[in-house]
Amino acid sequence: MTVIADRQYEEDKLDSAFHNYNKIILLADIKNNTVDYADALIAMGYIHHSQGDYINSEAVTTKILPLLPHLKKTRFAWNTYNILGLNYLATKDYDNALLYLKKALALKTNPWRQLETLSNIGLIYIEQHHYKKATDLYLKITTQGYYADKKKQHTLDAYDYTEYATMIDNLGNCLFKLRNPRALVYFNEALEIRLKVKADEALPFSFNHLSEYYLSKKTALSNQYATMGYKAACKINAFGTKKKSLKLLIATSTAKDLKKYSNAYIKLIDSMSVAQKKTKNQFSVIKYNLNQSKEENLQLKIQKAAHELQLEKQKNRSIISYVIIFVITMLCMLTFMHLRSKNRKEKNMQFSKVKYEYQKSLVTN
């Protein structure tokens, strides 16, 4: 079941994956299946987070905390702290977000996990408008250690390049906020990498950042990048980047196009509200069905236990009956033998008396 759920998760079939992960949790023996149990909770924490359900994401994820001392691999702790950090980041609780992401950073884990944690910490600094702090962090990430060594050795793979592009795109955004013209260098480099490795899910970010960069300088060019950002976002059906692209298109369009993009923006917001409601309803139905299934299983267990108890009682009654019959039979046999023995004794005594009387009469005569 874990393999099926993981495949569904990777294929973005989140409702089916959620259903199967929850089944794993219901059926798992925590003591003997701690790994499967924790993995399912982690996946459900990420699914809740992706749906914007940060409360349930935290509720599910905190169930892993007591298990961490019993789980040897650090990936469990890293994912737990990462989810909690992302939830707090999304809800603008930056102090707690930093607390958990720094916990994740302190773990001895894979380099890419450490880099992802640092990148998320950088996002917190950006949200706090600490652009200089974020800039220093992203410069350190991209020019030292893992990426620097890999670039020297020419061993960066497609995944490394994709992550590296994210880092320098974030770096460019920080410099843009600081009004540093060097931001354009990093924006263009990130876009070039993303086009090369075909990182379609990240392209809208590059186009939108470039649109923002040119917004106050070259409106027509800003509009072109916003158009490309919107098309790229529609291709992967990404709500956040579609929303951002439409805002930029509205800011850079005139007359007919302005009306078109304004209507598209309103339609997007309405459809997203409906989709979120539908998703929440789907997850509510899944949870209800699973709870109902759990109750039905409990009822079946109770009925089975009652049936087994009844069979045990019948068995015990049968045993008692056999014992009683056996005891009665033995008593009857003992009584019979006793009476038979007594009767023999009486006959023997009577015979002896008669014999004695006969012998006595002979002596007298």
Side-chain angles (χ1 to χ4, degrees), residues 297-321:
N297 287 338
L298 182 60
Q299 286 296 324
L300 286 172
K301 286 180 181 178
I302 292 170
Q303 290 175 6
K304 183 180 178 182
H307 181 64
E308 288 176 351
L309 181 62
Q310 186 67 27
L311 289 174
E312 190 66 26
K313 285 180 178 178
Q314 288 179 356
K315 183 180 177 182
N316 290 338
R317 282 199 293 266
S318 297
I319 291 170
I320 291 168
S321 298

Side-chain angles (χ1 to χ4, degrees), residues 9 63 99 140 144 147 158 167 181 265 346:
Y9 183 84
K63 291 180 181 179
L99 173 68
K140 184 178 179 180
Q144 298 178 27
Y147 287 120
M167 306 297 179
Y265 182 83
E346 288 178 351

Side-chain angles (χ1 to χ4, degrees), residues 171-183:
L171 173 57
N173 192 35
C174 293
L175 292 171
F176 171 67
K177 299 295 184 182
L178 292 170
R179 298 184 179 181
N180 187 325
R182 189 160 175 75

Side-chain angles (χ1 to χ4, degrees), residues 4 61 97 102 140 145 176 197 212 233 242 267 334:
I4 295 171
T61 307
K102 285 182 177 180
K140 184 178 179 180
F176 171 67
V197 299
E212 281 186 304
K242 275 198 285 188
K267 186 177 179 181
L334 288 170

Side-chain angles (χ1 to χ4, degrees), residues 152-200:
K152 284 181 183 177
Q153 298 165 11
H154 303 287
T155 55
L156 285 172
D157 57 23
Y159 178 82
D160 289 329
Y161 267 119
T162 301
E163 292 300 303
Y164 177 73
T166 299
M167 306 297 179
I168 60 174
D169 192 47
N170 288 341
L171 173 57
N173 192 35
C174 293
L175 292 171
F176 171 67
K177 299 295 184 182
L178 292 170
R179 298 184 179 181
N180 187 325
R182 189 160 175 75
L184 184 60
V185 175
Y186 292 107
F187 284 152
N188 283 329
E189 186 181 357
L191 176 60
E192 184 181 347
I193 292 171
R194 285 167 172 172
L195 288 169
K196 184 178 180 180
V197 299
K198 297 180 181 179
D200 292 343

Side-chain angles (χ1 to χ4, degrees), residues 208 211-212 215 222 226 230 240-253 258 261-262 264-265 268-269:
N208 286 344
S211 178
E212 281 186 304
L215 185 59
S222 176
Y230 183 60
T241 45
K242 275 198 285 188
K243 181 181 175 183
K244 182 68 174 178
S245 298
L246 284 170
K247 280 185 176 181
L248 289 166
L249 284 168
I250 291 168
T252 57
S253 297
L258 176 60
Y261 292 126
S262 297
Y265 182 83
L268 176 69
I269 298 299

Side-chain angles (χ1 to χ4, degrees), residues 314-349:
Q314 288 179 356
K315 183 180 177 182
N316 290 338
R317 282 199 293 266
S318 297
I319 291 170
I320 291 168
S321 298
Y322 291 142
V323 170
I324 291 171
I325 292 169
F326 176 76
V327 169
I328 291 171
T329 303
M330 291 301 295
L331 285 171
C332 290
M333 289 179 66
L334 288 170
T335 303
F336 173 76
M337 290 174 69
H338 174 71
L339 291 173
R340 186 177 179 184
S341 176
K342 184 180 178 182
N343 188 43
R344 282 180 178 176
K345 284 181 180 179
E346 288 178 351
K347 284 183 177 180
N348 288 335
M349 287 177 68

Side-chain angles (χ1 to χ4, degrees), residues 24-43:
I24 292 167
I25 289 169
L26 291 175
L27 298 173
D29 179 350
I30 300 177
K31 289 184 178 180
N32 297 322
N33 304 107
T34 312
V35 170
D36 290 342
Y37 184 80
D39 275 332
L41 287 173
I42 287 169

